[in-house]
Amino acid sequence: MNNAADVGGGGSGPSSFVVDPGTLTRVSSRLGAAAADLDALGSSRPTAGGTGQAEPLLLMILAAASEAGARLSYESSILAAAVEDCSVAAQDADAVAAASFLVDGGRP
């Protein structure tokens, strides 16, 4: 079942888009799994031990990469939650529209 919702159309008035709830669920699930995978990678980062004079530079690079990975993991989790919220909102809007159609018989 597809859902249609009105959204702001960049100043040209409302427009409509179609959302497949299954697709939203898959996107949310994959973003959540990616966040978990990135988070798990953080526990197995390499060390810069035994690299001599390059060690401080390598430690800074590893710290920057770890920080970027942590941010990416966090943002993926936030996006997964937002997509899930959109999925629920679209399904709720679809249910309300269907109930209205049944009650009103399609009259505006």
Side-chain angles (χ1 to χ4, degrees):
M1 176 180 288
N2 290 336
N3 299 298
D6 288 330
V7 295
S12 63
S15 62
S16 179
F17 67 94
V18 177
V19 179
D20 176 31
T23 299
L24 287 177
T25 300
R26 283 190 302 278
V27 168
S28 176
S29 175
R30 288 178 183 170
L31 281 169
D37 290 346
L38 279 169
D39 196 41
L41 285 174
S43 64
S44 63
R45 64 181 178 263
T47 63
T51 55
Q53 292 180 337
E55 189 166 334
L57 177 60
L58 290 173
L59 287 173
M60 288 186 341
I61 292 169
L62 288 171
S66 294
E67 183 180 339
R71 283 193 317 262
L72 188 56
S73 174
Y74 173 76
E75 294 298 331
S76 293
S77 296
I78 296 298
L79 286 171
V83 171
E84 182 62 29
D85 289 346
C86 288
S87 177
V88 169
Q91 290 179 37
D92 289 349
D94 195 34
V96 168
S100 175
F101 183 78
L102 290 173
V103 171
D104 298 333
R107 293 183 305 265

